[in-house]
Amino acid sequence: MEDPESSRSDKWYAALLSLLPQQFRTDFGSDMEEVFREQRVHTEKAGRWALAAMWGATIRDVVRMAPREHFSVLLQDTRFALRMMAKDPGYTFVATAILGLGIGANTAIFSMVNAVLLQPLPYAQGDRLVMLHQRATKVDTNMLFSVKEIDDYRRQAGSLSDVAEFHSMQFTLFNHGEAARVRAGVVSAGFFELFGVKPIMGRTFVAKDDNLGAPAVLLVSYEFWKQNQNADPAILGKRFEMNDRVHTVIGVLPPIPQYPSENDVYMPTSACPFRSSAGMIANRNTRMMEAFGRLKPGVSMKQSQAELAGIGRRLEQDYGNSYPKSIGYAIESKQLKTEITQRAKPMLLVLLGAAAFVLLIACANVANLILARMARRERELMIRTAVGAGGGRLLRQLLTESLIMALLASGAGLLFATGSLHLLIGFAGQLTPRAREISLNGWVLGFAVLCATATSLFFGSIAALTSRTEISSG
């Protein structure tokens, strides 16, 4: 059965069309029918409100009706916007793709920059961790540390709570006849305590593990435990053979960046056949270790550097053969965060600038597309104005279309950022161990979406107001 309200509205539309000139009906008749179907709902709503007032409805009744009416209008605006976008799929696809690319690129790259450069280190009080460097100043060469030198700085540097050593080697690990080539980090007993790293299972090394002849023990990295040992919950106490000695697993490290290099397992200095040799321990000139320290509370980098320089001068005077005047000698310290990110920082900043430029270009191109599309829709807007649509009504409809476009672009950008993130992690992993901390940042995604939405809404409203002015003046 035909709806009486719809029948009356259709008759009203036919009467309106008959009053228009023949040429106008020929040119604009099909567009008028599309617009009128959308506009008719508002006429009917206005009529229902007027009837409510005629039958004595209270102000409270009318106000109670308002949210339902506004929601209904929003749904209608959304349906109409989707129909108009479907009628112009080329514009919809290109605008969505351009904005999505800008949003996705910025989200992925800034997430990488945020994780690597801006976030604090995932170590306890990471800002107080330092790395020590010896340099041959006259030949501009970095020198590693010997056992003797590490002992000297550990004993004499009062500004540092401890000095820990590290070096890395490759060994063959045997497990019930199966051999695996592993990268092993050799560290002093206080290394992990210095970094504030606690194992997820078991314990780290203690002082007695560093004693010559102590039982050989191992700490395994999280990745080695997951991939090589299938996350075996009974890994503690498991025995491996390496360097003709049996090593017992005492702990599993958490999934954090390993610095200065990624290792499969860690052993104390006493378990390394090279580090524990008598010749290595006694020879000040046999240098193969890197050294790390932690500033004591209240001590600044400047104060620590001054103290280290004084120790270096005394060593140069006492052991002239180890520090010849011909090459020069200096000791310095740098914050660990600077050490970890110094290779990656220039490249990441370049990528960040490029991503921001891509977003700017994307917004500018979409703005041009919106303005060009509004020019093509001038006839539609003229008809809608002729049948009673006000400036506010046109503005709301066009802003709804712009908002939907921004939401579609945001979804496309999220997919692009998610798909490209693993490539960026692989790229950043060549420059810094912090690459494993990279993940999509919600705040960055929100900012990029806000920029895209603001662009769509701003130029959509400009186009709507411009079109309305031209139609009114015409």
Side-chain angles (χ1 to χ4, degrees):
M1 183 176 180
E2 186 179 8
D3 182 7
E5 292 291 336
S6 177
S7 178
R8 282 195 295 271
S9 296
D10 289 339
K11 291 178 181 178
W12 185 87
Y13 164 70
L16 173 65
L17 195 62
S18 66
L19 295 176
L20 297 174
Q22 177 61 39
Q23 186 61 41
F24 191 92
R25 294 200 302 271
T26 301
D27 292 343
F28 302 136
S30 60
D31 288 333
M32 281 190 66
E33 185 175 358
E34 171 80 18
V35 173
F36 179 74
R37 281 200 303 268
E38 186 263 339
Q39 190 67 27
R40 183 176 64 194
V41 177
H42 298 281
T43 306
E44 294 171 358
K45 285 180 171 44
R48 289 200 298 272
W49 283 58
L51 287 174
M54 290 174 60
W55 285 100
T58 64
I59 295 298
R60 189 190 316 172
D61 295 330
V62 175
V63 170
R64 192 182 300 119
M65 292 168 62
R68 293 195 299 271
E69 299 292 347
H70 286 310
F71 181 72
S72 177
V73 170
L74 177 61
L75 287 179
Q76 186 210 357
D77 286 345
T78 302
R79 286 195 298 267
F80 184 75
L82 292 174
R83 285 202 306 272
M84 297 304 296
M85 292 169 67
K87 288 179 64 176
D88 196 352
Y91 160 79
T92 303
F93 175 78
V94 171
T96 300
I98 291 175
L99 272 183
L101 177 63
I103 292 172
N106 274 267
T107 301
I109 292 176
F110 193 85
S111 293
M112 179 171 63
V113 171
N114 179 63
V116 174
L117 300 182
L118 303 182
Q119 292 299 312
L121 293 178
Y123 308 124
Q125 296 182 325
D127 60 323
R128 304 198 67 77
L129 290 171
V130 297
M131 187 172 183
L132 307 185
H133 293 278
Q134 294 186 124
R135 295 184 63 249
T137 56
K138 294 184 179 180
V139 292
D140 194 23
T141 303
N142 287 326
M143 302 163 54
L144 295 175
F145 287 81
S146 65
V147 176
K148 289 286 188 181
E149 289 167 337
I150 288 177
D151 287 342
D152 287 333
Y153 285 105
R154 184 179 288 147
R155 286 185 291 101
Q156 300 181 43
S159 60
L160 303 177
S161 59
D162 191 15
V163 175
E165 66 175 84
F166 168 92
H167 76 274
S168 185
M169 305 187 74
Q170 287 194 340
F171 297 106
T172 301
L173 194 70
F174 293 94
N175 178 25
H176 300 293
E178 295 183 3
R181 194 68 175 170
V182 297
R183 190 169 188 85
V186 183
V187 299
S188 54
F191 182 84
F192 294 106
E193 282 68 25
L194 182 80
F195 279 75
V197 175
K198 296 181 179 180
I200 60 174
M201 296 172 61
R203 66 172 177 87
T204 58
F205 302 133
V206 294
K208 66 179 182 179
D209 294 324
D210 262 347
N211 295 334
L212 293 178
V217 292
L218 281 180
L219 278 167
V220 299
S221 69
Y222 183 83
E223 290 72 20
F224 181 83
W225 176 59
K226 292 280 285 187
Q227 298 170 13
N228 188 277
Q229 299 297 306
N230 299 316
D232 181 6
I235 186 70
L236 297 184
K238 194 170 184 177
R239 296 187 173 191
F240 297 90
E241 186 177 344
M242 185 167 57
N243 301 323
D244 297 326
R245 296 184 65 183
V246 175
H247 295 67
T248 303
V249 176
I250 60 171
V252 179
L253 295 173
I256 60 173
Q258 301 177 51
Y259 191 78
S261 65
E262 298 282 334
N263 294 277
D264 301 304
V265 298
Y266 286 84
M267 63 173 67
T269 58
S270 62
C272 176
F274 303 97
R275 166 61 176 81
S276 61
S277 66
M280 179 74 183
I281 294 174
N283 193 341
R284 178 175 292 274
N285 299 328
T286 305
R287 301 180 173 99
M288 63 180 294
M289 274 83 70
E290 295 176 275
F292 299 86
R294 177 182 287 275
L295 296 175
K296 286 183 176 179
V299 177
S300 67
M301 284 289 296
K302 185 176 181 180
Q303 292 171 328
S304 178
Q305 180 58 51
E307 182 189 49
L308 291 173
I311 298 173
R313 287 191 294 270
R314 289 197 297 272
L315 293 180
E316 191 176 9
Q317 293 173 359
D318 296 342
Y319 307 99
N321 292 334
S322 297
Y323 313 100
K325 297 292 185 181
S326 60
I327 66 170
Y329 176 74
I331 177 77
E332 62 182 9
S333 63
K334 292 183 180 180
Q335 280 192 310
L336 184 62
K337 185 175 182 180
T338 302
E339 288 287 333
I340 289 179
T341 60
Q342 64 181 353
R343 288 182 58 213
K345 187 174 182 179
M347 182 63 70
L348 294 186
L349 292 179
V350 170
L351 288 176
L352 181 62
F357 193 59
V358 167
L359 182 61
L360 179 63
I361 293 176
C363 291
N365 286 337
V366 170
N368 287 331
L369 287 174
I370 292 173
L371 293 175
R373 186 168 183 257
M374 287 301 105
R376 296 198 305 270
R377 294 179 64 182
E378 182 177 348
R379 183 172 68 174
E380 173 209 331
L381 298 176
M382 183 183 301
I383 295 172
R384 297 186 67 187
T385 302
V387 297
R393 181 71 188 86
L394 290 179
L395 179 61
R396 184 174 62 190
Q397 179 61 60
L398 294 175
L399 290 183
T400 300
E401 294 181 23
S402 298
L403 181 59
I404 293 175
M405 177 63 64
L407 293 177
L408 291 175
S410 301
L414 182 59
L415 291 176
F416 178 83
T418 303
S420 62
L421 196 63
H422 73 281
L423 297 176
L424 292 176
I425 291 175
F427 168 75
Q430 305 299 316
L431 303 173
T432 173
R434 299 204 72 182
R436 68 167 65 196
E437 300 177 67
I438 299 173
S439 60
L440 285 183
N441 187 287
W443 290 104
V444 178
L445 177 62
F447 174 76
V449 170
L450 180 63
C451 290
T453 303
T455 299
S456 298
L457 293 180
F458 176 76
F459 285 97
S461 63
I462 291 294
L465 294 174
T466 303
S467 299
R468 175 68 181 173
T469 303
E470 291 175 352
I471 292 171
S472 299
S473 61

